[in-house]
Amino acid sequence: MSKRARELLTPEQRLEFMSIPDQITEYELGSYYTLSPHDVEVIKRHRRDHNKLGFALQLCLLRYPGWTLSDVHHIPDCVLNYIAKQLNIDAQEISLYAGREQTKHEHLDEIRREYGFRNFTIREYREISQTLVRLAMENGDAIYLIRKAIDQLQKGKIILPAMTTIERMVWESRRRAEEQIFKLLLLTLTKEQIEKLDQIISLMPESGITYLAWLREIPGTYSPDSFLKVIEKLDYIRNLQLQIDTKGIHPNRLRQLSKIGSRYEPHSFRRFHDPKKYAILVVSLLDLIQDLTDQAFEIHDRQIMSLLSKGRKAQEELQKQSGKSINEKVVHFADLGAALIRAKKEGIDPFVALETVMPWEQLVASVEEAKHLARPLDFDYLDLLEKKFYTLRKYTPTLLKSLEFRSTKSAEPLMRAIDTLREMNESGKRKIPEGAPLDFVSNRWQKHVYDDDGTINRHYYEMAVLTELRNYVRSGDVSIVGSRQHKDFDEYLVPTEEWSHLQPHNTKLTVSFSANEYLEERTESLFKRLDWISANINDLDGVNFENGKLHIDRLERNVPDDAREFSQSLYELLPRIKLTDILMEVAHWTGFHEQFVHASTNRIPTQEETAILMAALMAMGTNIGLTKMAEATTGISYRQMANAAQWRLYEDAMNKAQAVLVNFHHKLALSSYWGDGTTSSSDGMRVQIGVEALHADANPHYGSGKGATIYRFVSDQFSSFYSKVINTNARDAVHVIDGLLHHETDLMLEEHYTDTAGYTDQVFGLTHLLGFRFAPRLRDLADSKLYTIGKGNDFPKLENLLRGQINTKIIKENYDDVLRLAHSIRNGTVSASLIMGKLGSYARQNRLATALREMGRIEKTIFVLDYISSEALRRRIHRGLNKGEAMNALARAIFFGKQGELRERALQDQLQRASALNILINAISVWNTVYLAKAAEHQKESSTLREELLHHIAPLGWEHINFLGEYKFNLNQPGTLQSLRPLRK
């Protein structure tokens, strides 16, 4: 291997490591370059100011970044001025020091002796390499390892060697770690298994695709045939019998190998040397087992949903068809009833009276017809489902045979029922055996499971088992072996032993570890508000309690009438520009494109690659697609963009690029007029999906087509800091905490707003534990049920509102488990959306879920009391949500391709489009903010600026931006904040 191949960084990355950034913060300046009294004493031993300043600078640079003065490429003026100021020396004196090489060397030797700095030798190379091998076993990212190597050298007061030396050390350590990992993965592989692995990257018989491509295909529908195809793939992998012990490999390293393996095409695998080829293939296949298992159960879940939905629709249709006949029968039997009443009053023969209304034969026929029209007294639709049983039978025997289920104690009767059905399927028996478990059957299914003669109805019994299986898996009472989404509930949380040894200050939770202290503090907080509301109930602005009901007036508009005109006057000054130019200019200002590090080589994009990246981003963000973009862009091909999308526009890189844009925008002066970055809102934007996709659903609120929802989080400064694609029928609430915790920006969020769909009691409880104030805009507040700790009649004026009582006993009993759950979410062990979805599924008696719900009811009550007592809070929520709606309007304008319809089947591909759209939104917001600030400065110079109205403008206008036309990405256009385009005056 050549020396060049062992260099992991581009020249630009190497330069960045060996330079001090111009944007160094005050904190970093103070931390790295503050001189101690001892430092000053040593420095003052030298004569002449330039020698003192040069010595001090060398000392500071050896501490951070760790190289000598001769090696550091760039030192900002602010750093030099900060050091010089401490010594009361003019910073310009450094020019006299710069050319004195002999003096520099003498000072360097003195610093070594005085402060214990050492040169880098072969001993340090070996010591650091040992540490790097251990770290590389957990994380193979080259940049991460380089930073760790530099950190360890700095802590050991070792003067950093040439950057290429560090790179070679990291390269060698990573190679050794990979060899160990590959060896562990391949340890148990037989010759026969290796032959089968080779077959996976070869073409299938009579097909133009490889086995690997076939295994990766995403099912488009949730039909029985789709289920059987997924199981066929699952069986294909299982037949390899890969008994791989991965316990000795860090889960993060397995994830990295799996992610990179998912990007490699079969021809790429063929180029690798055998250990790498087989190891990455094995990890990819192990990951595919989880994906396929989850896909299989997702299809079953949808089948049950479809079954129940068809039952409801069949009942509605029956109602429509029978409506007229039923009405006729009601009229007839009303007349017959009236005749019988008259007969009794007048002493007439009832049969004679009846025949005056309707002949006897007609009456008998009418009764028979009524029997056919009659529905069960509880008006349930389950009795209409028996004919649907045969649709389920197409795949459910395979479901029960192919997936392995495990359960908690509460689901044991269901597990026995599953075993019963398996035995029946294998033996061919048709009748449910005596003694078959029935404890799991809900009251609703009970009357259908038994026939009139008391025997168990096979069809309804099996449908009950399959429906309850779906419910129990959703809630976590039943887990699926080999699944990622449906593991045992406890596996999602930090291990009990680890949790028991954690100290409170290491959890980042914002409540006491004592249940009694928690309840005491929340009770005091709740009662304080109840006392205040009781005392001021008749003096609340925009709130009244007529007839014991809570009424809140609609907020009056408080935006100045001339704000719109002022905003327009600023936008009229902005230069007209193409979206391509916005992307390139913002890239030059922020460097966000440098976050698109190649997933395999770890290299940032070159100039040529940057243009290709921007084209791919625009193709996905505008939704016109790579093919159309290639046709509209000179010099950039479809294959170039497809390669960039595959290797550079992956989820982590997108998130980091987005964070750079948000952080840059956060620091702009004009942004502070709109907020301080501590509040945010989230809202969904529904998009149609024009292909068959497993995660696409119809929602009657949006019409008959299937779609998904792009759920976007927006800061108070008009930046979009997080987004995800969710099911269009999913409750927004379970996704709120994901965005608050897992954005990678510098925003210090404290308060978050949503619409009504964005809240549940449990979300209120969890956000409080995690340190966020949750503030949804509540519909039907008059019907909201508020809770108190103790008796509601302690507050007689609010007795009609306080209709619930908090169960403090269940909070105390499960408090530690709730904190463990919150810590697991905070720590990233499990996503909030996954675990909250399980806690909110099915009517199970889960004490953990119940305790969290009770804690949430406390927080919801406190919030509602604040909401009705503060018009300012209500306005803040309204304003925050309006910002999200304004951003959705811009998003729809950008996402114009294919009529705003997604054509990607895989959820990951849909997310890639949504992330690209988010980056375009943020780029426009940054560009507009910079130029609006310039326009405001222009008005200030001409004395026409109305600064008090700057709070009411938004950087989301797009009339001046051209989204269409031929796309050119000019790498040589002006690229600094000092060379902005002229305003339109």
Side-chain angles (χ1 to χ4, degrees), residues 695-710:
H695 300 282
D697 263 334
N699 186 322
H701 184 70
Y702 299 103
S704 59
K706 291 186 177 181
T709 296
I710 298 176

Side-chain angles (χ1 to χ4, degrees), residues 643-839:
N643 184 269
Q646 183 177 10
W647 288 100
R648 292 191 180 276
L649 301 182
Y650 49 92
E651 187 178 354
D652 288 347
M654 294 282 232
N655 291 340
K656 288 175 181 175
Q658 183 171 270
V660 169
L661 290 169
V662 172
N663 293 342
F664 182 87
H665 188 260
H666 176 55
K667 293 174 183 175
L668 294 174
L670 185 57
S671 297
S672 63
Y673 282 86
W674 307 317
D676 58 5
T678 60
T679 69
S680 61
S681 66
S682 56
D683 192 19
M685 183 180 90
R686 209 236 185 205
V687 289
Q688 292 284 104
I689 295 181
V691 294
E692 291 289 348
L694 196 58
H695 300 282
D697 263 334
N699 186 322
H701 184 70
Y702 299 103
S704 59
K706 291 186 177 181
T709 296
I710 298 176
Y711 196 54
R712 183 178 295 109
F713 289 70
V714 179
S715 79
D716 52 18
Q717 297 178 323
F718 294 100
S719 59
S720 178
F721 60 87
Y722 184 84
S723 65
K724 65 187 301 189
V725 178
I726 64 175
N727 187 291
T728 196
N729 293 316
R731 184 151 188 135
D732 298 352
V734 299
H735 300 280
V736 165
I737 293 169
D738 286 349
L740 294 176
L741 287 181
H742 300 308
H743 66 92
E744 299 184 26
T745 73
D746 295 339
L747 299 176
M748 302 297 290
L749 299 172
E750 298 171 3
E751 188 170 78
H752 186 75
Y753 317 123
T754 69
D755 261 326
T756 300
Y759 101 88
T760 64
D761 291 342
Q762 290 173 338
V763 171
F764 265 110
L766 197 52
T767 47
H768 174 69
L769 297 177
L770 296 171
F772 301 106
R773 178 179 170 86
F774 185 49
R777 180 167 59 190
L778 300 177
R779 266 198 317 267
D780 305 321
L781 195 56
D783 299 322
S784 291
K785 187 176 182 180
L786 301 188
Y787 296 80
T788 186
I789 299 173
K791 296 180 180 178
N793 55 19
D794 292 341
F795 303 93
K797 293 182 180 180
L798 303 176
E799 203 166 349
N800 289 331
L801 284 180
L802 298 171
R803 291 174 287 163
Q805 190 169 337
I806 298 298
N807 184 344
T808 56
K809 181 183 177 185
I810 201 166
I811 292 176
K812 290 178 181 178
E813 290 172 350
N814 297 276
Y815 188 70
D816 188 65
D817 287 336
V818 172
L819 294 190
R820 179 184 167 212
L821 169 70
H823 173 68
S824 300
I825 292 171
R826 184 73 172 180
N827 203 40
T829 307
V830 64
S831 72
S833 55
L834 191 155
I835 209 73
M836 294 296 282
K838 290 192 174 295
L839 291 176

Side-chain angles (χ1 to χ4, degrees), residues 780-963:
D780 305 321
L781 195 56
D783 299 322
S784 291
K785 187 176 182 180
L786 301 188
Y787 296 80
T788 186
I789 299 173
K791 296 180 180 178
N793 55 19
D794 292 341
F795 303 93
K797 293 182 180 180
L798 303 176
E799 203 166 349
N800 289 331
L801 284 180
L802 298 171
R803 291 174 287 163
Q805 190 169 337
I806 298 298
N807 184 344
T808 56
K809 181 183 177 185
I810 201 166
I811 292 176
K812 290 178 181 178
E813 290 172 350
N814 297 276
Y815 188 70
D816 188 65
D817 287 336
V818 172
L819 294 190
R820 179 184 167 212
L821 169 70
H823 173 68
S824 300
I825 292 171
R826 184 73 172 180
N827 203 40
T829 307
V830 64
S831 72
S833 55
L834 191 155
I835 209 73
M836 294 296 282
K838 290 192 174 295
L839 291 176
S841 294
Y842 195 44
R844 66 193 214 135
Q845 296 302 310
N846 180 291
R847 296 181 66 81
L848 172 61
T850 306
L852 183 57
R853 184 195 65 200
E854 292 298 302
M855 294 166 75
R857 286 173 172 176
I858 298 174
E859 301 312 320
K860 184 181 83 170
T861 303
I862 288 173
F863 165 71
V864 171
L865 296 174
D866 287 344
Y867 188 84
I868 62 180
S869 64
S870 171
E871 182 179 317
L873 173 60
R874 299 198 295 274
R875 287 197 178 279
R876 205 159 68 236
I877 295 169
H878 182 71
R879 191 162 52 245
L881 290 171
N882 282 348
K883 291 179 180 182
E885 290 169 8
M887 188 160 284
N888 277 346
L890 172 59
R892 292 194 183 282
I894 298 171
F895 204 66
F896 59 84
K898 304 180 183 72
Q899 291 79 51
E901 187 178 86
L902 285 168
R903 303 281 174 82
E904 287 69 40
R905 182 167 289 167
L907 186 64
Q908 198 61 33
D909 295 333
Q910 295 169 8
L911 178 60
Q912 191 179 42
R913 297 270 168 145
S915 299
L917 171 60
N918 234 31
I919 286 173
L920 296 190
I921 290 170
N922 282 322
I924 289 172
S925 186
V926 166
W927 193 92
N928 280 349
T929 302
V930 168
Y931 274 90
L932 285 169
K934 185 178 181 183
E937 190 62 33
H938 170 73
Q939 286 193 351
K940 187 175 183 180
E941 290 171 0
S942 59
S943 302
T944 58
L945 177 68
R946 297 185 59 187
E947 188 173 352
E948 73 279 5
L949 295 180
L950 287 174
H951 299 277
H952 302 287
I953 66 171
L956 303 178
W958 69 85
E959 289 297 322
H960 56 295
I961 303 172
N962 180 14
F963 297 142

Side-chain angles (χ1 to χ4, degrees), residues 211-360:
Y211 285 93
L212 184 60
W214 167 66
L215 291 170
R216 288 173 172 175
E217 285 177 348
I218 304 293
T221 63
Y222 47 86
S223 65
D225 285 343
S226 291
F227 180 91
L228 295 173
K229 287 176 182 176
V230 169
I231 295 299
E232 183 185 358
K233 296 174 187 177
L234 196 55
D235 287 341
Y236 180 89
I237 300 175
R238 285 173 174 171
N239 287 336
L240 294 174
Q241 297 181 327
L242 298 171
Q243 304 298 322
I244 309 298
D245 183 6
T246 59
K247 290 180 182 176
I249 305 171
H250 196 279
N252 183 55
R253 201 68 176 90
L254 286 172
R255 278 195 296 270
Q256 287 180 338
L257 288 173
S258 173
K259 281 184 178 181
I260 199 166
S262 67
R263 295 187 178 90
Y264 285 129
E265 299 296 339
H267 63 82
S268 300
F269 279 107
R270 295 187 202 109
R271 294 200 304 265
F272 296 153
H273 63 280
D274 285 354
K276 181 176 181 180
K277 174 172 67 176
Y278 298 131
I280 296 180
L281 262 177
V282 162
V283 173
S284 298
L285 292 172
L286 293 177
D287 211 46
L288 263 173
I289 287 175
Q290 292 184 310
D291 290 339
L292 292 168
T293 303
D294 288 337
Q295 286 171 19
F297 194 80
E298 176 76 9
I299 292 171
H300 171 63
D301 188 293
R302 296 306 188 88
Q303 277 289 306
I304 296 297
M305 283 176 62
S306 176
L307 175 79
L308 299 177
S309 176
K310 285 175 181 176
R312 285 191 294 271
K313 287 178 181 177
Q315 179 159 281
E316 290 168 6
E317 190 60 35
L318 205 59
Q319 285 292 102
K320 289 177 185 177
Q321 292 173 0
S322 307
K324 185 177 180 181
S325 300
I326 290 171
N327 190 58
E328 286 176 358
K329 293 290 166 290
V330 171
V331 172
H332 287 165
F333 285 98
D335 291 342
L336 292 169
L340 287 171
I341 293 169
R342 190 179 77 251
K344 184 172 183 179
K345 282 183 178 178
E346 299 176 4
I348 303 170
D349 184 338
F351 291 102
V352 173
L354 287 175
E355 292 211 39
T356 61
V357 176
M358 185 183 294
W360 185 255

